[in-house]
Amino acid sequence: MTTLDITEDIVGRGTREGAALFRDWFTELDHTANTGGQSAYVFVMGSINEILKSFDLPVVFPEINSLQTAVRHVAHEYLEVAESYGYSPDICGYVKADVGTQLQGGQHPMAKIPPPSLTVLTNACNTYIKWAEIWERMYKTPVFTIDIPGTRQDGCQTWPGSSDFEADRKYIEVQLRELITVCEEVTGKKFDIDKFREVLTHANTMSRSWKRILELNNSKPSLFNALTDGTIFLGVANGFRGTEEGARYFERLVEEMEYKAAHGIGQTIEEKYRLLFVGVPCYPIFRRFNELFTDWGGTFVNSTYLWFASGGTNRGFEYDLADPIASLAEGTLISVRDAMDSMFHQNVALKDMAEEFDVDGIIYHPIKSCRTVSTGLADGRKHMTDELGIPSLFIESDMMDRRVVSEAQMKNRIDAFFEGLESRHKQAAAGEKG
Amino acid sequence: MTMTATRTFDEWRNKSLDDALLECRDMVESPDFETVQRWRDAGGKVAGHFQVYFPEEIIHAAGMLPFKVRGAPMEPNQADSHFGSYLCSILKTSLEMALSNQVEMELFISHPICDAARNLAAIWGRNVDYPSQILYLPQNPNSSGSVEYLRHEYDRIRRVAEEVSGVEVTDEALRNSIEVFNENRRLMRELYDIKRETPWLIAAEDAYALVTLAGMIPREEHNELLSTLLPLIKERTIKPEDRIRVVFEGGFCEQPPFDLIRMLGRTVYVVDDDFMIGLRWLTTDVAADGDPLENLAYSYIEHSSYSPVQHDTRKPKEDMLLTRIRESRADAAILAAAKMCEPGLEEQVTYTHALDDEGISYFLSEFEENMSSFDQLELQVATFVEHLLFA
């Protein structure tokens, strides 16, 4: 095999294999729906896949289903169904696209979505709670909240060894044990601790790999687009957490990224400006949204989205198999709390990230649909500018609702931002020469 | 130092009932929050706590004034630039109150009641120089671990209160505070009994003012106010009118403007509601013996009201609303939601479907705390009422 063959085989492999796994996942869901099989509805910030996969429950991520309707340009059809049912235009578009899906018997562009046999959610987003209440009423199936206390004050996280941390961890452990009982009741299967350990082993591989992949993107040029490629990786990280396929995928992804780093292979464009992305992508015009930046040579090297939408697994927490349930409680607390901090207290992380990834600018993209992510961004940006002085852009739109996405307006703002960056770079270059 | 003897609201004293109620309304409507300033002028410290529920007993036992942060009738001139679009008003006016020093405090505590409000502590913390904390009330009250967890969380708040106040919060002080608040809970229940049984004796806006004052004056003082006025209200000789009885639902966080409540009071009898429900959250007395923090935690889990921002499988909101309607013998419901309030708007859908199923009439509306024109709304409500009266 020549070097060229190796390059062709390995470069872009993660994207190809991720897309294939995605199709497999939805094929399984379609089969489940058509055969009346069981499924669990879960969310990206704390899916607790570790327990659900121990019971072989197919998992449905309604957030991912919803964003797929936007990426496929049909979200408005689902939003209209939900709004006709009574849901306000001011309610999260993910919720409404899902309500539209449910009211149409699970019909979705990628597969028929099975109804939930069980719903597991965390409090990382309050809308999760309201959303799950909808299914609770629609299907009368169990809804289980894993309540995860977050950071009480900026910079005051507690850690193992403190009584406050232990109180939180213990509360989560009690709930996880209760969830196991609910899973036993729903599936009719006995909890198998050995299988659970196996699932945790796969989850550990994935967390370790995910952390490494994110770190590797500080290469120059950056190896993958945190906005577009990152979303594919996230899909696998969520849907396949705790599975052998998921672990294998991420090991191979690390291999790909290390290969690219070693050979100086970057993204498909010439990288002129390294950017951080804060918020949630604009899915209704996903490709075009990205192009508005890449056309100027802007590449996204990291994003808070890759942290919180992976449930904080970017921390790379690995479970202790000797005490698996207690350790799952600890890992869930640390990881999901980190996901919440990525949304509410991201300035410290941004500071580290800006230095480590040598970024030229930060793009803040608050969206109408998600107040969890968006409410604090204007204030966060104000303080980031005061403290770090990094050039930034603040553009508002939505992740679902094309009615509040104005591409022309967005383009004007983005162009102006890059013009500013360009002039800044020229001045800096002139200063160096002078 | 104990501050519980400090009086912050004397205007109502030695006045006729009507004049006393007028003073109460004026105090609640004032954007200056004079009672808090008076407390501070006397050397007291203030802990602001955002909607919905907060265990005020802990702050009270530390000798501080628990102040309910519920927005304010002011323009968010400074606060606006700290937020993006698509947000409810209460977040902005609450922060405005802090940024403009309209209300000064030593501690701010919020609870992650919704996606927007859970950002408030971080935003507040970046902009003030006193602690801005989050109290994590259990979002899984159905777990067997919730009481123990909450007891620990309350103990953490006790430690925060001690640090800020410089006062040791003993179990004895907590038990004393529980007694004070139990008396207040009893009086609040009495007030709502009047609303339900003889709504013609108290106007909707007067009842609202009496409840809201609890969040801005020392609770002993509030007990004195209610103990004095409630008997006088009961002695009134006002005759009942031919008005429909309604439950108002949607005032659990952002509050409707006072004039909106006044307008409703002119048109219907508001026999029950969720205005400032956090101040009336615990529905029974809290045990005053034994471990006070555990008692408070137990009451939160086992004996509490409901709102769109708490999920409890034992308390489906639509069932709770139907119970509220039945127990108050209401003819209809006003289902309101603050603009941009996701939990409120989501619950409206549930409520409307449940009331449709039960054949109960309802009026659906959105409001904003600082809206000032009610002509169209009043006309709509009047039409709704006429429809019910003459259908």
Side-chain angles (χ1 to χ4, degrees):
Chain A
M1 199 180 244
T2 65
T3 309
L4 185 64
D5 290 335
I6 292 169
T7 302
E8 280 177 355
D9 180 55
I10 199 167
V11 174
R13 188 173 69 188
T15 310
R16 292 192 300 275
E17 291 182 354
L21 279 174
F22 228 69
R23 284 193 295 274
D24 292 349
W25 178 20
F26 278 83
T27 302
E28 184 197 12
L29 293 182
D30 198 68
H31 176 74
T32 303
N34 288 320
T35 56
Q38 291 189 312
S39 77
Y41 277 28
V42 296
F43 296 93
V44 298
M45 291 191 284
S47 67
I48 321 294
N49 242 10
E50 292 84 345
I51 288 178
L52 300 171
K53 285 294 169 198
S54 302
F55 285 93
D56 295 321
L57 275 166
V59 288
V60 175
F61 283 77
E63 290 157 295
I64 295 175
N65 298 347
S66 292
L67 82 82
Q68 285 295 332
T69 66
V71 170
R72 287 156 196 272
H73 308 292
V74 293
H76 57 282
E77 295 171 15
Y78 291 82
L79 299 182
E80 276 166 21
V81 172
E83 288 176 11
S84 300
Y85 189 75
Y87 287 95
S88 161
D90 296 324
I91 287 173
C92 168
Y94 275 3
V95 173
K96 285 186 295 190
D98 173 69
V99 167
T101 305
Q102 304 300 338
L103 289 175
Q104 296 176 98
Q107 292 305 328
H108 183 274
M110 291 188 72
K112 186 174 182 190
I113 307 298
S117 312
L118 165 69
T119 298
V120 180
L121 63 139
T122 70
N123 59 315
C125 163
N126 288 60
T127 292
Y128 289 173
I129 301 171
K130 303 307 294 176
W131 198 344
E133 285 177 352
I134 296 171
W135 304 319
E136 195 174 34
R137 291 181 181 110
M138 271 185 184
Y139 299 110
K140 317 284 182 209
T141 48
V143 164
F144 197 97
T145 308
I146 302 287
D147 186 17
I148 300 161
T151 297
R152 302 331 198 271
Q153 187 175 327
D154 194 11
C156 296
Q157 289 92 342
T158 58
W159 298 102
S162 96
S163 65
D164 287 340
F165 181 89
E166 179 53 22
D168 290 352
R169 193 208 60 76
K170 190 176 168 194
Y171 177 40
I172 295 169
E173 184 177 339
V174 170
Q175 296 175 78
L176 292 175
R177 289 183 186 279
E178 289 169 343
L179 174 62
I180 288 171
T181 305
V182 172
C183 288
E184 287 180 329
E185 287 165 4
V186 167
T187 62
K189 290 180 183 171
K190 201 84 191 127
F191 178 60
D192 180 345
I193 192 84
D194 292 327
K195 185 164 188 178
F196 179 55
R197 283 198 178 92
E198 201 178 299
V199 171
L200 292 186
T201 304
H202 296 318
N204 282 347
T205 301
M206 192 183 265
S207 295
R208 189 169 54 243
S209 304
W210 185 223
K211 182 169 184 274
R212 179 73 185 134
I213 289 160
L214 293 175
E215 285 166 357
L216 279 168
N217 215 31
N218 72 357
S219 304
K220 283 191 176 177
S222 58
L223 312 176
F224 66 91
N225 183 328
L227 193 73
T228 51
D229 303 324
T231 300
I232 295 170
F233 306 158
L234 264 183
V236 180
N238 283 303
F240 290 85
R241 183 162 179 78
T243 65
E244 193 177 349
E245 305 101 289
R248 174 86 184 119
Y249 170 82
F250 270 92
E251 280 178 332
R252 285 167 62 78
L253 190 56
V254 170
E255 191 181 51
E256 177 186 340
M257 293 306 156
E258 280 180 339
Y259 178 86
K260 288 178 78 172
H263 293 82
I265 303 170
Q267 299 185 31
T268 50
I269 61 156
E270 189 191 340
E271 182 171 278
K272 279 176 75 182
Y273 303 106
R274 294 165 65 84
L275 306 170
L276 288 182
F277 183 81
V278 180
V280 178
C282 180
Y283 287 122
I285 53 164
F286 194 31
R287 204 168 82 181
R288 182 66 192 134
F289 181 71
N290 180 55
E291 284 169 358
L292 293 176
F293 297 92
T294 54
D295 286 351
W296 283 89
T299 56
F300 290 102
V301 294
N302 210 329
S303 78
T304 57
Y305 190 57
L306 296 185
W307 311 340
F308 62 76
S310 70
T313 58
N314 53 295
R315 286 193 68 92
F317 185 94
E318 293 189 43
Y319 305 117
D320 175 5
L321 302 185
D323 194 2
I325 299 177
S327 184
L328 176 62
E330 181 177 321
T332 301
L333 172 56
I334 288 174
S335 302
V336 177
R337 188 180 67 183
D338 191 79
M340 293 192 259
D341 286 345
S342 301
M343 299 184 287
F344 311 134
H345 305 288
Q346 75 278 93
N347 273 13
V348 174
L350 284 180
K351 183 170 184 271
D352 297 342
M353 193 63 57
E355 285 167 11
E356 194 186 330
F357 283 69
D358 191 20
V359 302
D360 299 292
I362 303 180
I363 309 303
Y364 289 84
H365 183 242
I367 46 168
K368 179 184 178 185
S369 268
C370 184
R371 290 164 177 94
T372 313
V373 174
S374 308
T375 301
L377 292 191
D379 184 70
R381 182 199 183 207
K382 232 177 206 296
H383 288 267
M384 184 284 295
T385 305
D386 289 347
E387 289 157 24
L388 306 180
I390 299 172
S392 63
L393 174 68
F394 192 85
I395 35 173
E396 286 182 291
S397 77
D398 199 46
M399 61 193 183
M400 289 294 291
D401 193 343
R402 65 183 189 184
R403 291 170 295 191
V404 287
V405 177
S406 167
E407 186 186 319
Q409 231 174 47
M410 226 181 244
K411 185 174 185 315
N412 281 340
R413 304 277 318 281
I414 293 168
D415 288 350
F417 171 73
F418 279 108
E419 281 162 13
L421 271 189
E422 224 168 44
S423 128
R424 203 180 159 108
H425 277 218
K426 278 179 190 160
Q427 279 171 12
E432 276 170 23
K433 278 184 194 166
Chain B
M1 178 180 64
T2 174
M3 293 298 302
T4 48
T6 302
R7 288 209 326 217
T8 61
F9 179 41
D10 280 336
E11 285 88 339
W12 64 276
R13 295 175 190 276
N14 305 314
K15 295 215 166 122
S16 69
L17 175 60
D18 286 348
D19 287 345
L21 289 171
L22 176 64
E23 295 293 350
C24 292
R25 294 197 300 268
D26 284 349
M27 187 54 78
V28 168
E29 278 190 283
S30 167
D32 297 325
F33 298 95
E34 290 93 337
T35 56
V36 183
Q37 191 54 48
R38 289 170 192 166
W39 174 268
R40 297 185 65 80
D41 290 345
K45 293 183 175 176
V46 176
H49 55 93
F50 192 71
Q51 299 276 32
V52 175
Y53 171 73
F54 180 77
E56 295 169 277
E57 288 88 340
I58 300 172
I59 296 301
H60 181 269
M64 298 171 76
L65 178 69
F67 167 65
K68 172 61 77 189
V69 177
R70 56 173 165 87
M74 55 174 67
E75 285 299 316
N77 297 322
Q78 294 181 57
D80 221 15
S81 65
H82 294 261
F83 294 101
S85 313
Y86 313 118
L87 292 171
C88 57
S89 177
I90 183 174
L91 290 188
K92 299 175 187 174
T93 57
S94 293
L95 184 67
E96 182 71 21
M97 208 170 57
L99 296 180
S100 64
N101 288 325
Q102 198 79 352
V103 174
E104 293 176 87
M105 50 187 93
E106 278 71 31
L107 171 66
F108 174 69
I109 304 180
S110 63
H111 161 56
I113 54 169
C114 70
D115 295 338
R118 66 184 312 167
N119 279 274
L120 204 49
I123 296 171
W124 209 287
R126 285 193 287 264
N127 291 284
V128 301
D129 57 6
Y130 49 83
S132 174
Q133 281 266 330
I134 296 179
L135 163 69
Y136 271 90
L137 293 167
Q139 291 282 19
N140 183 1
N142 305 115
S143 169
S144 61
S146 63
V147 172
E148 186 185 342
Y149 159 76
L150 185 56
R151 196 238 171 253
H152 190 94
E153 182 68 349
Y154 282 175
D155 188 56
R156 192 185 63 76
I157 294 293
R158 170 184 7 204
R159 283 178 267 137
V160 170
E162 284 179 334
E163 198 171 316
V164 172
S165 68
V167 173
E168 185 189 359
V169 178
T170 63
D171 281 2
E172 192 188 342
L174 281 166
R175 288 189 198 103
N176 172 61
S177 298
I178 287 173
E179 297 276 16
V180 170
F181 279 75
N182 277 345
E183 173 63 2
N184 195 250
R185 283 184 266 273
R186 187 189 66 72
L187 289 162
M188 292 276 214
R189 291 196 295 268
E190 196 178 322
L191 171 61
Y192 270 74
D193 283 345
I194 296 173
K195 276 171 67 94
R196 271 188 296 271
E197 300 308 318
T198 51
W200 50 89
L201 293 183
I202 182 158
E205 68 272 24
D206 288 337
Y208 176 79
L210 287 176
V211 171
T212 305
L213 278 166
M216 51 198 291
I217 63 178
R219 211 48 70 94
E220 290 86 345
E221 210 176 340
H222 193 247
N223 285 346
E224 202 185 340
L225 173 77
L226 291 185
S227 306
T228 307
L229 298 191
L230 293 185
L232 298 177
I233 291 167
K234 286 179 182 173
E235 285 168 13
R236 277 174 154 174
T237 55
I238 302 168
K239 288 189 176 159
E241 293 178 14
D242 188 18
R243 296 195 201 179
I244 66 158
R245 299 164 62 93
V246 304
V247 160
F248 183 97
E249 198 81 4
F252 63 95
C253 183
E254 182 169 323
Q255 298 300 293
F258 211 87
D259 284 340
L260 191 154
I261 300 170
R262 189 178 280 130
M263 178 273 282
L264 290 176
R266 281 198 302 266
T267 318
V268 297
Y269 287 136
V270 181
V271 290
D272 207 343
D273 55 64
D274 62 351
F275 296 138
M276 303 296 290
I277 192 71
L279 294 171
R280 309 180 278 122
W281 188 254
L282 304 185
T283 52
T284 60
D285 285 358
V286 178
D289 56 344
D291 180 345
L293 293 180
E294 187 174 339
N295 293 342
L296 282 169
Y298 179 79
S299 288
Y300 177 83
I301 299 295
E302 297 296 333
H303 301 294
S304 53
S305 189
Y306 70 99
S307 86
V309 296
Q310 190 210 35
H311 178 72
D312 186 331
T313 54
R314 300 165 301 180
K315 296 192 285 190
K317 263 76 79 178
E318 60 273 44
D319 292 354
M320 300 301 285
L321 173 61
L322 288 170
T323 303
R324 183 173 273 164
I325 290 171
R326 285 182 189 123
E327 288 184 350
S328 60
R329 303 186 307 286
D331 305 302
I334 293 176
L335 305 177
K339 283 188 192 301
M340 300 292 170
C341 168
E342 270 193 294
L345 291 166
E346 280 156 347
E347 220 60 78
Q348 272 190 334
V349 182
T350 310
Y351 288 154
T352 53
H353 285 271
L355 296 191
D356 281 340
D357 290 347
E358 295 292 320
I360 298 170
S361 299
Y362 55 84
F363 178 79
L364 207 59
S365 181
E366 286 184 34
F367 66 84
E368 194 166 43
E369 59 179 351
N370 286 336
M371 66 195 280
S372 54
S373 171
F374 306 96
D375 295 348
Q376 202 182 350
L377 189 61
E378 186 161 14
L379 190 66
Q380 290 168 346
V381 173
T383 308
F384 171 70
V385 169
E386 279 168 21
H387 172 75
L388 283 179
L389 283 174
F390 305 115

